[in-house]
Amino acid sequence: MKHTKIKDLLNSTKPIDDVIVKGWVRTFRNNQFLAINDGSVIHNIQAVVDFENTPAETLKRLTTGAAVMVKGNLAESQGAGQKFEIQVKQLEILGDSDPEKFPMQPKKHSLEFLRENAHLRVRTNVFGAIMRVRSVLSFAIHQYFQEKGFVYVNTPIITGSDAEGAGEMFQVTSLPIGNPPLNEEGKIDYKQDFFGKETNLTVSGQLEGETFAMALGQIYTFGPTFRAENSNTSRHLAEFWMVEPEVAFNNLDDNMDLAEDFIQYVIKYALDKCPDDLAFLNQRLADEEKTKPTAERSELGLLEKLNFVLENNFKRVSYTEAIDILKNSKPNKNKKFNYIIEEWGADLQSEHERYLVEKHFKCPVILFDYPAKIKAFYMRLNDDKKTVRAMDILFPGIGEIVGGSEREERLDVLLEKIAELGIDEKELWWYLDTRRFGSATHAGFGLGFERLVLFVTGMTNIRDVIPFPRTPQSAEF
């Protein structure tokens, strides 16, 4: 039987006869009022059961979590809180739920408890809202780049290169772990491995993306990336999704323009398409803030924070200027920062980034021209030989959300940087070819998708904005 989404019924402008709804029971009270949700919208629809003509055995089976089908008339509601309700003519239990064992009871659960039940947590209002917003943001990303004429490229998940140069990669091998073959030097003989060389799960699709930008002009990747960083924090995942555009002939200024326009577009899209979910998450965050000491409360609500990004131009500040501001700031002078800024060249931490955005400039910030020593090998070296054409976008409440750069298009300079860092030139022969054959200025950036979802939903732990988080010592689902 064809059924109608609850979202469509709640948006109806008039009563409708003989509608069919399929969903899951959220509550059943007074043996009469059934709240059903099908995931299409955060709101439930109320179904009024004719308990006098419904078998007692069926009524007992209407427990939280049970799957049901109801058929009846969509009528104007007699009670407060909803415009329409369903006057039930026919009710069928599609799947029972054990009320004593079902963990998602209609009460407030801690986020820690819900992470332990990640396979069921999406049935709650909070996680239903988060995942619908995540879905809309994902679509908005594709729509933005497609409207701009970008080509979507699927870069490899298994790779032999380390784009970030950090070495924190998950190894991929078909060799027996307990007794791998050894070469004459007594080391593992990767020539006998599946790919004939040492391979890993990718940390970025950027290097491969650059090769496509050098032929197609403007491309973007949007796929899973992996990092074996043993960081058990609220900001790190071992598996996450990255959005990485790359544009031929763009310089750093073009790159900053693109990133700012892109972020504002996808946030506005979410605000337009997810008003109910974001209103719910806004209230959730407001309630959470009330439990904190006054000094620790955020100055902006969730919706205010999102509009803050839309209504303010991003302030562009050089790393050198930012260091001067931080060195002379009260938190630094009074040693309130956990990481005191003492000299130029320091790697900025989240507390520094948030100070610049939330306290000093009071708008989103793009930092640029970072010290070469703290950035990746592929970033273009400035004429001062000390800094590179790098950029980071900083947001309130979260710090860095985007990192990018103008790429080093000069073969001789790139070779020097690779040699200085001890990177094997032979491993990047194909990447270096893009500098040998028709090299040109180009630039790109990476957006951690979960960081974006974290910001837009107002959540504070990145494990709560991905369906099944992968973290150290945790791959349960």
Side-chain angles (χ1 to χ4, degrees):
M1 290 182 292
K2 187 176 180 180
H3 61 282
T4 304
K5 294 293 185 185
I6 289 173
K7 180 179 182 179
D8 295 331
L9 292 177
L10 293 177
N11 286 332
S12 179
T13 58
K14 60 183 180 180
I16 308 171
D17 290 338
D18 295 325
V19 300
I20 296 174
V21 165
K22 294 180 181 180
W24 294 270
V25 175
R26 286 293 176 87
T27 60
F28 181 48
R29 56 189 177 84
N30 301 335
N31 257 10
Q32 186 175 20
F33 300 107
L34 185 65
I36 305 172
N37 191 281
D38 67 358
S40 63
V41 67
I42 195 167
H43 304 297
N44 306 323
I45 195 164
Q46 179 170 280
V48 183
V49 179
D50 183 358
F51 66 91
E52 292 183 353
N53 295 311
T54 305
E57 185 59 32
T58 300
L59 294 175
K60 287 181 182 178
R61 294 169 64 193
L62 288 173
T63 59
T64 300
V68 297
M69 182 280 293
V70 299
K71 181 178 180 180
N73 296 332
L74 184 71
E76 292 185 3
S77 178
Q78 301 301 309
Q82 65 271 331
K83 182 179 179 182
F84 290 110
E85 63 188 15
I86 299 175
Q87 300 291 337
V88 178
K89 296 178 182 179
Q90 181 185 344
L91 186 151
E92 183 181 344
I93 310 292
L94 303 178
D96 290 287
S97 177
D98 187 333
E100 295 184 4
K101 295 183 179 179
F102 183 58
M104 300 297 118
Q105 292 299 318
K107 63 177 183 178
K108 186 173 182 179
H109 297 284
S110 71
L111 294 175
E112 290 78 8
F113 172 81
L114 293 173
R115 288 179 207 127
E116 294 169 1
N117 292 275
H119 60 305
L120 296 172
R121 66 179 180 172
V122 74
R123 299 194 191 189
T124 65
N125 281 338
V126 173
F127 283 90
I130 292 168
M131 294 306 157
R132 279 187 294 269
V133 171
R134 181 185 171 104
S135 173
V136 165
L137 285 170
S138 179
F139 180 83
I141 287 165
H142 284 291
Q143 181 160 291
Y144 176 85
F145 287 119
Q146 292 296 321
E147 287 178 356
K148 298 286 185 181
F150 281 66
V151 176
Y152 177 38
V153 176
N154 301 116
T155 51
I157 290 176
I158 299 173
T159 179
S161 61
D162 181 359
E164 298 301 319
E168 296 164 334
M169 304 180 77
F170 290 102
Q171 187 173 2
V172 176
T173 182
S174 63
L175 297 177
I177 295 175
N179 187 31
L182 305 178
N183 57 25
E184 294 178 354
E185 298 175 352
K187 297 179 180 180
I188 295 176
D189 186 4
Y190 286 106
K191 291 182 179 179
Q192 297 187 46
D193 207 346
F194 186 91
F195 294 105
K197 62 181 294 185
E198 189 172 357
T199 54
N200 307 282
L201 295 179
T202 186
V203 298
S204 169
Q206 179 205 312
L207 302 189
E208 292 88 351
E210 283 187 54
T211 69
F212 272 71
M214 289 292 98
L216 300 176
Q218 48 184 22
I219 66 95
Y220 72 104
T221 74
F222 186 5
T225 51
F226 308 84
R227 194 158 300 175
E229 182 179 358
N230 192 19
S231 296
N232 224 332
T233 76
S234 61
R235 290 165 50 88
H236 292 88
L237 290 167
E239 176 186 275
F240 51 99
W241 288 68
M242 286 288 289
V243 181
E244 297 176 291
E246 199 74 31
V247 185
F249 313 114
N250 266 13
N251 60 26
L252 185 65
D253 290 329
D254 300 323
N255 205 34
M256 291 190 281
D257 291 342
L258 175 67
E260 181 172 346
D261 187 59
F262 162 67
I263 289 178
Q264 290 182 327
Y265 177 97
V266 296
I267 289 177
K268 186 177 187 308
Y269 192 90
L271 281 166
D272 290 343
K273 298 295 182 180
C274 301
D276 291 343
D277 288 320
L278 289 174
F280 171 82
L281 292 168
N282 181 67
Q283 186 58 54
R284 178 200 165 276
L285 183 61
D287 293 341
E288 189 177 83
E289 288 292 311
K290 290 176 184 177
T291 66
K292 298 179 180 178
T294 303
E296 296 179 13
R297 293 177 188 173
S298 174
E299 295 180 9
L300 298 175
L302 175 59
L303 295 178
E304 290 176 306
K305 189 169 62 173
L306 297 179
N307 283 299
F308 172 87
V309 171
L310 297 184
E311 294 165 1
N312 288 281
N313 292 327
F314 295 9
K315 179 71 175 178
R316 301 182 183 188
V317 183
S318 72
Y319 168 90
T320 299
E321 182 184 347
I323 285 293
D324 288 340
I325 291 168
L326 291 167
K327 280 177 65 177
N328 294 310
S329 68
K330 286 185 178 180
N332 199 64
K333 289 182 175 179
N334 296 334
K335 301 193 182 301
K336 297 293 184 181
F337 284 144
N338 292 320
Y339 297 87
I340 304 302
I341 299 294
E342 295 179 343
E343 58 184 16
W344 190 92
D347 202 351
L348 301 186
Q349 305 297 318
S350 179
E351 60 181 343
H352 307 132
E353 295 166 345
R354 290 185 60 182
Y355 174 84
L356 293 169
V357 174
E358 298 168 23
K359 303 297 182 184
H360 188 82
F361 290 109
K362 297 188 177 180
C363 66
V365 173
I366 307 181
L367 293 187
F368 63 90
D369 284 356
Y370 278 79
K373 290 184 178 179
I374 63 173
K375 289 296 182 180
F377 74 92
Y378 51 74
M379 297 184 177
R380 195 184 200 280
L381 191 66
N382 282 317
D383 293 340
D384 62 11
K385 308 296 183 184
K386 292 170 52 183
T387 61
V388 290
R389 300 292 282 162
M391 55 163 258
D392 286 341
I393 299 182
L394 315 179
F395 268 19
I398 196 170
E400 180 194 340
I401 195 168
V402 163
S405 72
E406 186 176 327
R407 314 311 190 189
E408 182 55 78
E409 85 283 7
R410 298 164 296 184
L411 178 62
D412 56 338
V413 178
L414 191 57
L415 287 171
E416 287 179 12
K417 293 177 76 173
I418 286 174
E420 287 175 8
L421 295 170
I423 298 172
D424 188 351
E425 184 180 321
K426 294 178 182 178
E427 292 293 323
L428 290 175
W429 66 270
W430 54 272
Y431 182 72
L432 295 171
D433 268 0
T434 61
R435 274 65 174 175
R436 293 189 176 101
F437 311 125
S439 184
T441 299
H442 60 289
F445 61 83
L447 167 74
F449 183 51
E450 281 71 31
R451 291 277 180 96
L452 175 66
V453 181
L454 198 71
F455 180 76
V456 174
T457 60
M459 302 303 288
T460 55
N461 194 314
I462 205 161
R463 302 174 195 199
D464 297 328
V465 296
I466 192 169
F468 299 102
R470 296 289 179 255
T471 55
Q473 303 298 308
S474 178
E476 183 67 25
F477 303 96

